[in-house]
């Protein structure tokens, strides 16, 4: 039986990281519960102290069925390379220069949102490598433009 999946990020600033990933993936910040105009209004009504309002956030697909992405504040900073990372399929079906130009355009867009470039791997027909760009989100989590 197939299961639903939620992707969870530990982070320092859930609200800011949720906004970055919503833009990166074409998602939207999860709307507040029915009957509330904002998350602040909902959290206040639920009795959550204001200092906890940015302890978590989530993004959801604007359309279609995609995994929910959840962000939770943790006290410790990221200290090592991710063991799991996201691949953003920014150039499906493209090859060679056209693929790498498309990936560069997406890398520039995400850099304007706060991501940083780690490195670029060139296409190589001898090894079957199609080429990709590894980047880091605003809190240093690695992801690939593929």
């Amino acid at each position: 039986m197939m299961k639903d999946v939620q992707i969870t990020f530990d982070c320092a600033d859930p609200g800011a990281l949720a906004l970055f990933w919503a833009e990166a993936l074409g998602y939207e910040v999860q709307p507040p519960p029915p009957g509330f105009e904002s998350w602040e209004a909902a959290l206040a009504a639920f009795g959550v102290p204001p200092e906890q309002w940015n302890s978590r956030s989530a993004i959801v697909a604007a359309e279609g069925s995609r995994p929910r992405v959840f962000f939770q504040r943790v006290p410790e900073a990221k200290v090592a390379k991710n063991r799991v990372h996201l691949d953003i399929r920014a150039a499906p079906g493209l090859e060679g220069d056209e693929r790498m130009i498309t990936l560069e355009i997406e890398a520039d867009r995400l850099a304007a949102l706060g991501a940083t470039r780690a490195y670029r791997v060139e296409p190589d027909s001898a090894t079957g490598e199609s080429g990709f760009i590894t980047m880091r989100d605003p809190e240093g989590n690695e992801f690939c433009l593929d």
Side-chain angles (χ1 to χ4, degrees):
M1 181 169 142
M2 196 163 65
K3 308 284 188 211
D4 284 335
V5 173
Q6 170 174 280
I7 300 165
T8 301
F9 282 79
D10 289 348
C11 58
D13 187 345
L17 206 55
L19 290 174
F20 169 82
W21 281 104
E23 284 293 323
L25 299 175
Y27 274 43
E28 60 186 25
V29 173
Q30 184 171 334
F36 294 97
E37 291 187 27
S38 69
W39 274 106
E40 291 79 9
L43 295 172
F46 299 154
V48 176
E51 63 273 10
Q52 293 298 314
W53 287 4
N54 190 32
S55 65
R56 55 187 56 111
S57 189
I59 61 174
V60 294
E63 56 186 56
S65 178
R66 302 272 192 263
R68 178 177 187 249
V69 184
F70 184 73
F71 304 88
Q72 61 188 8
R73 185 169 54 206
V74 296
E76 66 276 359
K78 181 180 179 306
V79 295
K81 184 180 183 308
N82 300 3
R83 294 290 303 246
V84 175
H85 68 268
L86 301 183
D87 286 346
I88 299 176
R89 302 292 173 144
L94 300 180
E95 296 179 1
D97 289 342
E98 183 181 18
R99 175 182 177 76
M100 297 312 292
I101 289 168
T102 300
L103 294 179
E104 286 292 346
I105 291 168
E106 183 66 0
D108 289 345
R109 182 181 81 84
L110 296 175
L113 297 172
T116 55
R117 177 186 302 261
Y119 57 90
R120 173 178 157 147
V121 173
E122 298 299 324
D124 184 347
S125 59
T127 64
E129 176 58 61
S130 57
F132 62 91
I133 299 173
T134 297
M135 299 189 72
R136 293 185 183 94
D137 75 11
E139 290 201 16
N141 301 300
E142 295 89 3
F143 65 96
C144 292
L145 298 178
D146 184 352

